[in-house]
């Protein structure tokens, strides 16, 4: 398995841009800052989806997203959750992905993905033991919380005092 370095992304509120892990800078249609996080909505030139909405939730170590897929690439998921580190420096937010992801199918299930990538990243020295352990703890807390709320990410977040809304 080829393991990539942790993906780093920036969100610049002043320039209204989002720089993806490959360095592509995209214009952001909408940013909103709340005490618990940052909301971003933007168009996408990705072949599978045309619009992306995300909430960066630093205290939880999560990025929750809705991918608006083209009909011919639709996926059976309502929310996609990245596990990582999310920081803010003035008007620039930064994310560092810690490999683990969750797929939430509201009302049905929550699936943990990419454990193999996390372990490979740790084994090859791309992620230290403390960060890998923290990623696992964050992911399991999120799975437990989402499941306890009927596999409804938004309900879990609202219960934590983080009422998210989407476009």
């Amino acid at each position: 398995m080829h393991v990539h370095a942790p993906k780093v992304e920036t969100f610049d509120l002043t320039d209204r841009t989002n720089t993806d892990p490959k360095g592509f800078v995209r214009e952001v249609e909408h940013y909103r800052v709340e005490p618990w996080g940052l909301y971003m909505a933007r168009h996408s030139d990705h072949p599978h989806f045309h619009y992306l909405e995300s909430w960066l939730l630093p205290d939880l170590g999560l990025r929750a997203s809705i991918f608006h897929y083209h009909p011919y690439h639709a996926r059976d998921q309502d929310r996609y959750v990245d596990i990582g580190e999310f920081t803010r420096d003035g008007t620039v937010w930064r994310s560092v992905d810690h490999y683990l992801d969750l797929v939430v199918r509201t009302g049905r299930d929550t699936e943990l993905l990419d454990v193999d990538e996390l372990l490979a990243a740790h084994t090859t020295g791309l992620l230290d033991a403390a960060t890998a352990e923290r990623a696992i703890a964050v992911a399991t807390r999120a799975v437990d919380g989402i499941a306890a709320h009927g596999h409804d990410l938004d309900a879990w977040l609202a219960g934590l005092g983080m009422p998210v809304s989407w476009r």
Side-chain angles (χ1 to χ4, degrees), residues 3-167:
V3 184
H4 59 80
K7 295 177 182 176
V8 177
E9 198 165 343
T10 59
F11 306 82
D12 190 317
L13 279 63
T14 302
D15 291 344
R16 300 188 63 76
T17 58
N18 167 221
T19 305
D20 76 9
K22 295 179 182 174
F24 292 106
V25 180
R26 294 185 172 83
E27 184 178 328
V28 172
E29 184 177 26
H30 186 75
Y31 273 128
R32 183 170 80 236
V33 177
E34 296 289 349
W36 61 85
L38 174 68
Y39 172 78
M40 177 202 72
R42 68 168 174 81
H43 291 278
S44 174
D45 56 0
H46 194 279
H48 295 171
F49 60 93
H50 59 89
Y51 203 77
L52 172 63
E53 297 179 77
S54 291
W55 275 98
L56 304 184
L57 305 164
D59 289 348
L60 298 178
L62 304 176
R63 175 183 180 174
S65 298
I66 296 176
F67 292 91
H68 296 269
Y69 287 98
H70 297 292
Y72 44 89
H73 285 292
R75 296 192 183 172
D76 183 21
Q77 68 184 41
D78 299 302
R79 306 288 186 266
Y80 193 88
V81 180
D82 295 286
I83 308 303
E85 181 180 352
F86 306 92
T87 56
R88 178 182 187 176
D89 184 11
T91 61
V92 177
W93 292 58
R94 182 174 181 259
S95 72
V96 179
D97 186 77
H98 290 163
Y99 301 94
L100 297 178
D101 302 301
L102 306 176
V103 170
V104 181
R105 295 173 196 88
T106 304
R108 293 187 292 149
D109 64 5
T110 302
E111 181 181 4
L112 174 63
L113 305 174
D114 301 329
V115 173
D116 57 337
E117 286 185 32
L118 174 78
L119 295 174
H122 171 63
T123 300
T124 60
L126 292 170
L127 213 60
D128 63 39
T131 303
E133 183 178 346
R134 187 169 52 253
I136 293 167
V138 165
T140 55
R141 177 177 184 239
V143 169
D144 286 349
I146 296 165
H149 286 80
H151 295 287
D152 186 332
L153 172 72
D154 296 3
W156 175 56
L157 294 174
L160 294 173
M162 302 178 183
V164 298
S165 60
W166 308 90
R167 292 206 135 210

